[in-house]
């Protein structure tokens, strides 16, 4: 539906697609037709093509991007992916509304047309923050509401407060929101209608990947401001800038896309209608594929994979996703590194891949999946029962004597359960320890994981961008996605060092060193690298496998047009 | 008239009680509504909670939501389906489930009553044995087995009907038959038992003595008396069938309400499951009231009190 400045597409020199191998994809020009990066790698200048249009016919401009990213960063938007823009200078401070006396601020008055909608915003006054006066006492919320901000606007000092009292209303104006001045402090400027200049905090080699990642696609300002959120996403209101527009959307049924005639590259788009079906059961999807109701499905039941592997229309290749177990390092005896290593060594991952996952997944000895350009992942220890027993004995549990019972937690799903049963068996037979299994519904499972209320817990991670950092930086001390209680100063140092390192090779080396520490310390047990498993009818062309499971629909076509094409 | 009024008041009171209990129950299960594998920075999390008023004290949340439900007929946004409101979900899902359900109930009535009457009238003949064997199977075979069998036979062997999805009448047939099977089977057994009771009564003997045709006696006199147990079973059964079945919807990939029931509870979608529970409760109460009303129409001995 939407399109970013860049988008990931098959590389121009890519070989013809194969049903057993990935096609190389890379970010390529989409709405932008030119990108200049400054020497220090911190300033990106995008030129937006003059022909880019929204589905209502109006032009796509640099202002649309500046506004969309501002909206994404705005604290009231609550964007779950706001941190993907925090690579831009000043962006994180804007989202977290970090105010400093003497800094430029923007004050939004309490005159929004609709108080429940953040956009359109009320009157914005720009000035310099001179003083913050917080009345003593009261809880945090009350204090915040009563805080008075002195801001110099156009040479005049004015006072603002979220909830002025009846008395203070004479001198204090009511404010809706006070934030760092976006135009002055955030490194994002629309120079003219077609030029967007972005200044980053540090050199970020994968910023191009981020720009090609869907959260950074633009939204139509007029549409959002007219219908509000979430009203603007209704099919009858939605204005988009991609190859397709939405005709309708029905829950648990389908989304129907139709070709967007205003798309700048509309001549290239071959499909007129696409139905994206919502099918919750893999078996129902398979039935519908086999009876010709759908043309393409991206998931199949594991039990029939051995049969499907013989078929030409079954497409499978490695993807940048890893299946792993977290170990709660804050609990005895799992706080002992030797115990964690023993658990890893005593797990037959080859068997798991062959008997449970069955789509040719590779056993994992490290966290970062293979296939990221420029990065050679370190090799961890493989299956070695002898050494595992030795380590466990060293840790004070010879033959597993006196080892407390441990529990493997997973979110309820056939595959996770079957896999955990294999692990349970391995650990019992190889180490002589007692293992129990517990399946939990998704929400409760996440909750237990977040609160470290587990011993060993199943997890998975997909790459957000094609860089080892997307996997490794999860495990910094107290990181939001660490969830193991593990902490290592040297590891943190290496990850932080990599973030500011300018030489790509050195940077990759720092990340590699960090990952080496991670797999030696073993707060996680990597198990397998996932495979894509898709059924694609031979009449569908323009489909190609890739490591991030991205499928640009505008490149697809169907031989012999037969009315509506299913997904 | 008094009867209707009293029933209406009771319905309202029951709905209110169900609302209150479900509201409290859902707030006290573990696992926050916005837990997600990608853990968000604290500020963002707080914003999400604020938007849904999760920071307000419980009684205020209760009061606000009750006000919206009663006066604006608005169950609020769904916690999990981001840009759909609970009303959207119900408006989209209910017609699907309802059309499926009406067809299913029609099938069930037709097959159930026919089988019941035939096996009672031809007691201990092969007709009776075959009908009751089917009825036993219908009750015993779980939905998902029946649905899978139906797909293998009708879709893959006979190539008659589509495997799943929604859109044309052809999509309706298999799932509604699967929904109808247990109801029809149960109806057949109820009808047969009740018919046997009625057929031994004096007034039926009188009818035979008057020389009326067997067909007339069975359909006009006996069936009317034998309908009562079937009708009282039909009230709750209709409410259940109309609100959909998660299993059948999943197998045939139908966008009905049944899956929402299960999913919303599993996903801790507070507002959505509350809305669905209310719809189900309302349907159940209304159909039970209709059942009571119909007693009077079917059996003159029943008086409204």
């Amino acid at each position: 539906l939407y399109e970013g400045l860049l988008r990931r597409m098959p590389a121009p020199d890519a070989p013809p697609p194969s049903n057993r191998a990935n096609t190389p994809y890379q970010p390529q020009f989409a709405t932008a037709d030119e990108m200049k990066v400054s020497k220090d790698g911190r300033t990106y200048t995008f030129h937006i093509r003059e022909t880019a249009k929204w589905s209502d016919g109006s032009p796509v401009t640099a202002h649309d991007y500046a506004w969309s990213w501002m909206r994404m960063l705005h604290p009231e938007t609550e964007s779950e992916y706001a941190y993907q823009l925090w690579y831009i200078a000043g962006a994180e401070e804007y989202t977290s509304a970090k105010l400093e006396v003497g800094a430029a601020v923007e004050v939004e008055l309490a005159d929004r047309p609709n108080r429940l909608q953040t956009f359109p915003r009320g009157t914005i006054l720009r000035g310099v923050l001179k003083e913050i006066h917080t009345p003593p006492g009261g809880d945090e919320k009350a204090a915040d509401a009563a805080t008075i901000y002195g801001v110099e606007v156009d040479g005049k000092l004015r006072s603002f407060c979220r909830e002025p009292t009846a008395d203070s209303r004479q001198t204090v104006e009511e404010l809706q929101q006070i934030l760092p001045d976006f135009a002055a402090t955030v490194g994002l400027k629309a120079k003219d209608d077609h030029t967007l200049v972005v200044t980053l905090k540090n050199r970020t080699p994968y910023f191009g990947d981020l720009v090609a990642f869907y959260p950074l696609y633009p939204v139509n300002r007029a549409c959002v401001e007219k219908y509000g959120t979430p009203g603007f996403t209704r099919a009858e209101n939605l204005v988009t800038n991609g190859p397709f527009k939405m005709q309708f959307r029905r829950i648990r049924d389908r989304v129907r896309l139709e070709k967007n005639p205003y798309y700048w590259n509309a001549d290239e788009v071959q499909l007129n209608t696409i139905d994206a079906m919502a099918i919750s059961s893999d078996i129902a999807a398979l039935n519908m594929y086999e009876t010709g109701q759908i043309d393409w499905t991206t998931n199949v039941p594991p039990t029939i994979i051995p049969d499907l592997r013989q078929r030409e229309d079954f497409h499978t290749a490695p993807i940048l996703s890893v299946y792993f177990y977290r170990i709660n390092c804050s609990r005895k005896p799992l706080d002992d590194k030797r115990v964690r290593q023993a658990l890893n060594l005593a797990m037959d991952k080859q068997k798991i891949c062959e008997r449970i996952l069955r789509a040719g997944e590779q056993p994992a000895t490290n966290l970062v999946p293979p296939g990221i350009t420029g990065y050679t992942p370190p090799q961890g220890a493989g299956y070695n029962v002898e050494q595992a027993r030795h380590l466990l004995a060293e840790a004070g549990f010879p033959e597993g004597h006196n080892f407390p019972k441990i529990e493997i937690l997973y979110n309820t799903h056939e595959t996770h359960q079957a896999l955990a049963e294999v692990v349970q068996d391995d650990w019992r037979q190889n180490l002589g320890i007692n293992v129990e299994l517990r399946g939990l519904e998704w929400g409760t499972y996440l909750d237990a994981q977040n609160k470290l209320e587990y011993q060993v817990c199943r997890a998975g991670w997909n790459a957000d961008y094609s860089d080892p950092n997307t996997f490794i930086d999860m495990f910094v001390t107290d990181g939001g996605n660490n969830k193991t209680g593990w902490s290592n100063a040297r590891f943190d140092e290496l990850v932080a060092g990599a973030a500011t390192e300018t030489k790509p090779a050195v940077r990759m080396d720092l990340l590699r060193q960090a990952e080496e520490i991670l797999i030696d310390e073993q707060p996680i047990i990597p198990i397998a690298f996932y495979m894509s498993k898709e059924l694609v009818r031979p009449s569908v062309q323009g489909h190609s496998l890739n490591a991030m499971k991205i499928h640009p629909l505008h490149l697809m076509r169907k031989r012999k047009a037969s009315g509506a094409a299913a997904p | 008239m008094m009867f209707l009024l009293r029933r209406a008041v009771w319905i309202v009171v029951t709905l209110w009680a169900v609302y209150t209990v479900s509201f409290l129950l859902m707030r006290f299960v573990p696992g926050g509504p916005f837990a997600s594998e990608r853990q968000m920075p604290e500020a963002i999390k707080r914003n999400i909670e604020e938007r849904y008023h999760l920071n307000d004290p419980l009684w205020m949340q209760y009061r606000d939501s009750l006000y919206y439900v009663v006066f604006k007929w608005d169950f609020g946004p769904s916690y999990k389906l981001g840009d759909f409101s609970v009303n959207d979900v119900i408006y989209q899902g209910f017609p699907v489930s309802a059309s499926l359900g009406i067809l299913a109930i029609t099938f069930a009535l037709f097959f159930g009553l026919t089988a019941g009457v035939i096996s009672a009238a031809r007691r201990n003949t092969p007709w009776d044995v075959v009908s009751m064997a089917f009825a036993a199977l219908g009750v015993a075979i779980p939905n998902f087995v029946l649905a899978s069998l139906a797909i293998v036979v009708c879709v893959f062997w006979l190539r008659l009907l589509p495997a799943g999805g929604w859109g044309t009448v052809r999509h309706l047939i298999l799932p509604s038959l699967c929904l109808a099977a247990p109801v029809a089977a149960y109806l057949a057994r109820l009808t047969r038992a009740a018919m046997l009771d009625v057929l031994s009564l004096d007034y039926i003997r009188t009818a035979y003595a008057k020389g009326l045709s067997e067909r007339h006696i069975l359909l006009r006199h006996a069936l009317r008396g034998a309908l009562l147990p079937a009708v009282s079973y039909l009230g709750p059964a209709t409410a259940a069938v109309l609100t959909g079945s998660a299993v059948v919807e999943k197998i045939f990939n139908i966008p009905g309400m049944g899956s929402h029931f299960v999913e919303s509870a599993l996903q801790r979608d507070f507002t959505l499951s509350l809305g669905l529970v209310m719809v189900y409760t309302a349907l159940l109460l209304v159909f039970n009231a209709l059942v009571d009303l119909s007693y009077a129409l079917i059996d003159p001995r029943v008086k409204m009190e």
Side-chain angles (χ1 to χ4, degrees):
Chain A
L1 287 174
Y2 287 100
E3 184 179 79
L5 293 163
L6 308 177
R7 73 186 303 162
R8 298 184 73 89
M9 285 188 290
D13 54 353
S18 145
N19 61 357
R20 291 291 181 271
N22 281 327
T23 300
Y25 270 55
Q26 51 181 234
Q28 291 175 44
F29 291 126
T31 312
D33 57 5
E34 198 187 286
M35 175 176 92
K36 282 192 211 127
V37 187
S38 67
K39 273 220 182 79
D40 63 1
R42 286 186 52 217
T43 310
Y44 282 69
T45 309
F46 295 95
H47 183 266
I48 290 154
R49 58 180 88 237
E50 326 265 332
T51 49
K53 285 203 173 67
W54 292 97
S55 56
D56 63 356
S58 59
V60 178
T61 67
H63 301 285
D64 287 318
Y65 279 92
W67 186 83
S68 298
W69 292 2
M70 182 277 285
R71 172 176 173 271
M72 187 170 152
L73 286 168
H74 196 284
E76 287 176 46
T77 305
E78 306 157 6
S79 166
E80 301 189 334
Y81 262 122
Y83 66 90
Q84 298 286 30
L85 276 174
W86 289 354
Y87 297 94
I88 299 176
E92 183 171 358
E93 290 78 1
Y94 186 75
T95 305
S96 50
K98 204 166 155 193
L99 299 172
E100 266 172 47
V101 174
V105 291
E106 55 183 42
V107 177
E108 182 187 354
L109 298 183
D111 59 352
R112 282 183 189 165
N114 177 352
R115 279 200 78 126
L116 295 175
Q117 291 288 343
T118 311
F119 304 99
R121 299 204 284 171
T123 312
I124 305 275
L125 301 172
R126 299 175 56 195
V128 177
L129 186 61
K130 289 291 182 192
E131 56 185 11
I132 304 178
H133 174 70
T134 309
D139 59 16
E140 201 183 320
K141 219 169 153 186
D144 183 49
T147 301
I148 295 172
Y149 301 91
V151 180
E152 191 180 278
V153 183
D154 297 331
K156 244 176 62 189
L157 188 69
R158 292 162 67 170
S159 297
F160 302 93
C161 178
R162 274 184 217 282
E163 290 171 17
T165 55
D167 302 338
S168 66
R169 238 169 228 287
Q170 306 292 327
T171 52
V172 179
E173 295 169 75
E174 186 179 350
L175 75 80
Q176 181 72 42
Q177 184 64 269
I178 177 162
L179 294 170
D181 185 0
F182 192 89
T185 64
V186 182
L188 181 63
K189 308 261 170 325
K191 237 166 136 187
D192 56 54
D193 277 359
H194 297 283
T195 315
L196 186 74
V197 183
V198 185
T199 313
L200 305 182
K201 248 189 303 205
N202 297 307
R203 190 177 181 284
T204 310
Y206 46 89
F207 188 68
D209 288 76
L210 288 175
V211 169
F213 185 37
Y214 62 87
L216 270 62
Y217 290 6
V219 288
N220 185 285
R221 179 175 181 174
C223 173
V224 172
E225 295 197 335
K226 183 168 175 197
Y227 301 105
T229 308
F232 85 94
T233 61
R234 292 185 165 268
E236 62 271 26
N237 303 338
L238 192 65
V239 176
T240 62
N241 73 328
F244 296 95
K245 56 184 184 176
M246 183 156 66
Q247 203 176 339
F248 62 77
R249 174 161 81 126
R250 290 199 294 246
I251 316 171
R252 283 179 203 282
D253 181 26
R254 71 192 67 192
V255 174
R256 177 164 290 170
L257 305 178
E258 58 180 348
K259 186 173 169 174
N260 171 9
Y262 288 106
Y263 180 55
W264 63 270
N265 201 8
D267 295 345
E268 287 288 302
V269 183
Q270 298 288 314
L271 296 174
N272 289 319
T273 316
I274 300 176
D275 278 359
M277 310 291 296
I279 308 178
S280 59
S281 147
D282 292 345
I283 296 174
L286 182 72
N287 286 342
M288 288 169 80
Y289 178 82
E290 291 292 294
T291 52
Q293 282 176 277
I294 58 175
D295 288 322
W296 170 29
T297 171
T298 55
N299 224 341
V300 295
T303 43
I304 61 146
I305 289 175
D307 297 329
L308 291 178
R309 283 170 71 83
Q310 320 295 326
R311 285 170 43 167
E312 274 298 297
D313 59 346
F314 182 61
H315 295 237
T316 180
I319 46 175
L320 290 179
S321 299
V322 60
Y323 193 117
F324 63 98
Y325 275 176
R326 283 192 164 92
I327 301 181
N328 187 344
C329 301
S330 64
R331 291 218 184 160
K332 279 192 186 309
L334 302 171
D335 56 342
D336 188 329
K337 169 174 149 183
R338 289 167 302 189
V339 172
R340 300 196 297 262
Q341 287 176 334
L343 292 178
N344 176 51
L345 290 164
M347 189 193 286
D348 188 350
K349 297 167 186 171
Q350 189 71 41
K351 186 169 72 187
I352 289 171
C353 291
E354 282 167 10
R355 299 214 192 136
I356 308 295
L357 301 170
R358 305 176 98 169
E361 283 83 357
Q362 287 305 306
T365 61
N366 70 302
L367 179 70
V368 181
I372 296 178
T373 324
Y375 186 73
T376 322
Q379 287 301 306
Y383 185 49
N384 188 335
V385 181
E386 205 59 27
Q387 204 187 340
R389 288 204 184 120
H390 180 71
L391 280 167
L392 199 67
E394 232 175 65
F397 307 98
E399 310 279 310
H401 286 312
N402 300 327
F403 197 89
K405 198 166 17 178
I406 58 171
E407 188 180 69
I408 301 175
L409 179 75
Y410 52 89
N411 53 306
T412 312
H413 188 279
E414 300 157 38
T415 313
H416 303 329
Q417 181 175 342
L419 198 153
E421 279 164 5
V422 172
V423 174
Q424 178 185 36
D425 219 44
D426 277 354
W427 286 350
R428 192 183 285 155
Q429 291 194 354
N430 296 337
L431 301 176
I433 60 179
N434 253 329
V435 182
E436 285 191 347
L437 306 182
R438 188 156 64 121
L440 284 180
E441 169 277 318
W442 184 246
T444 352
Y445 147 84
L446 290 178
D447 220 44
Q449 207 176 157
N450 290 342
K451 292 182 183 152
L452 288 180
E453 287 167 358
Y454 71 91
Q455 286 160 316
V456 176
C457 175
R458 177 262 144 189
W461 194 257
N462 303 318
D464 285 343
Y465 44 91
S466 180
D467 189 279
N469 195 52
T470 182
F471 292 95
I472 294 171
D473 79 348
M474 282 199 278
F475 294 100
V476 297
T477 302
D478 293 330
N481 282 307
N482 182 319
K483 302 179 186 173
T484 59
W486 178 75
S487 160
N488 182 298
R490 177 71 188 136
F491 176 85
D492 294 350
E493 214 172 273
L494 287 165
V495 174
T500 51
E501 177 55 52
T502 51
K503 291 196 198 71
V506 181
R507 188 177 157 272
M508 287 300 187
D509 191 53
L510 290 174
L511 287 173
R512 187 192 146 95
Q513 289 178 39
E515 195 186 354
E516 270 167 11
I517 294 176
L518 186 72
I519 58 179
D520 174 59
E521 284 274 322
Q522 212 93 61
I524 51 158
I525 302 179
I527 295 178
F529 298 122
Y530 276 105
M531 302 283 288
S532 46
K533 293 162 276 192
E534 310 188 4
L535 279 170
V536 190
R537 207 169 290 292
S539 59
V540 176
Q541 297 179 319
H543 168 279
S544 54
L545 291 171
N546 57 85
M548 290 176 68
K549 285 188 97 171
I550 294 165
H551 296 291
L553 294 173
H554 71 293
L555 300 178
M556 293 200 184
R557 51 209 64 194
K558 220 184 148 184
R559 255 181 295 149
K560 264 192 271 170
S562 60
Chain B
M1 211 45 225
M2 267 313 285
F3 168 80
L4 279 181
L5 204 68
R6 219 166 42 214
R7 271 318 268 262
V9 171
W10 267 112
I11 288 180
V12 170
V13 172
T14 319
L15 282 175
W16 173 74
V18 169
Y19 181 84
T20 309
V21 171
S22 349
F23 182 87
L24 293 175
L25 273 180
M26 276 180 293
R27 287 302 150 104
F28 290 115
V29 285
F34 285 101
S36 153
E37 188 138 49
R38 256 151 239 260
Q39 210 182 26
M40 298 313 145
E42 201 45 45
I44 292 176
K45 211 172 184 173
R46 197 170 51 230
N47 283 334
I48 289 181
E49 290 192 349
E50 211 166 280
R51 172 163 155 194
Y52 288 97
H53 305 293
L54 291 183
N55 284 349
D56 281 352
L58 194 68
W59 68 268
M60 272 171 73
Q61 293 178 24
Y62 174 72
R63 185 201 60 189
D64 291 350
S65 65
L66 191 63
Y67 170 82
Y68 272 102
V69 170
V70 174
F71 293 101
K72 304 205 168 163
W73 197 238
D74 177 2
F75 287 100
S78 156
Y79 271 84
K80 283 286 171 177
L81 298 171
D83 34 15
F84 286 100
S85 69
V86 175
N87 292 28
D88 285 338
V89 175
I90 295 175
Y91 288 151
Q92 283 194 19
F94 186 68
V96 173
S97 290
S99 39
L100 203 60
I102 290 169
L103 195 61
I105 285 292
T106 317
F107 279 137
L109 277 175
F110 178 72
F111 290 118
L113 291 183
T114 315
V117 170
I118 290 179
S119 59
R122 298 277 176 273
R123 186 153 46 129
N124 298 331
T125 65
W127 287 99
D128 182 21
V129 175
V130 170
S131 308
M132 282 307 111
F134 268 105
L137 283 178
V139 174
I141 297 182
N143 254 336
F144 58 89
V145 176
L146 187 64
S148 310
L149 281 177
I151 289 183
V152 170
V153 174
C154 298
V155 178
F156 285 100
W157 290 357
L158 302 177
R159 304 224 163 236
L160 276 180
L161 295 164
W166 187 249
T168 65
V169 180
R170 278 156 47 84
H171 287 104
L172 272 172
I173 297 172
L174 277 187
S176 59
L177 280 175
C178 291
L179 275 179
V183 182
Y186 204 74
L187 271 180
R189 293 165 63 91
L190 281 177
T191 315
R192 178 177 182 268
M195 282 291 276
L196 288 179
D197 278 351
V198 173
L199 284 176
S200 63
L201 290 180
D202 289 346
Y203 78 93
I204 298 296
R205 217 165 343 132
T206 315
Y208 272 112
K210 276 177 16 189
L212 292 172
S213 74
E214 184 183 20
R215 186 193 168 84
H216 189 91
I217 294 169
L218 283 179
L219 296 183
R220 287 297 300 273
H221 298 280
L223 184 57
R224 194 164 167 176
L227 267 181
L228 285 182
V231 165
S232 44
Y233 164 70
L234 264 183
T238 310
V241 168
L242 284 186
T243 42
S245 144
V247 177
V248 170
E249 281 175 15
K250 185 159 184 174
I251 293 176
F252 291 101
N253 205 55
I254 288 167
M257 282 209 324
S259 330
H260 287 305
F261 252 110
V262 178
E263 287 286 308
S264 64
L266 287 180
Q267 302 282 340
R268 310 250 177 284
D269 192 334
F270 294 160
T271 42
L272 181 57
S273 52
L274 196 62
L276 293 171
V277 165
M278 295 313 287
V279 170
Y280 177 72
T281 316
L283 277 175
L284 187 65
L285 293 173
V286 167
F287 276 103
N288 277 343
L290 285 179
V291 164
D292 289 354
L293 271 179
S294 65
Y295 283 161
L297 298 179
I298 296 170
D299 189 340
R301 288 169 300 180
V302 179
K303 288 272 177 299
M304 289 299 152
E305 274 171 20

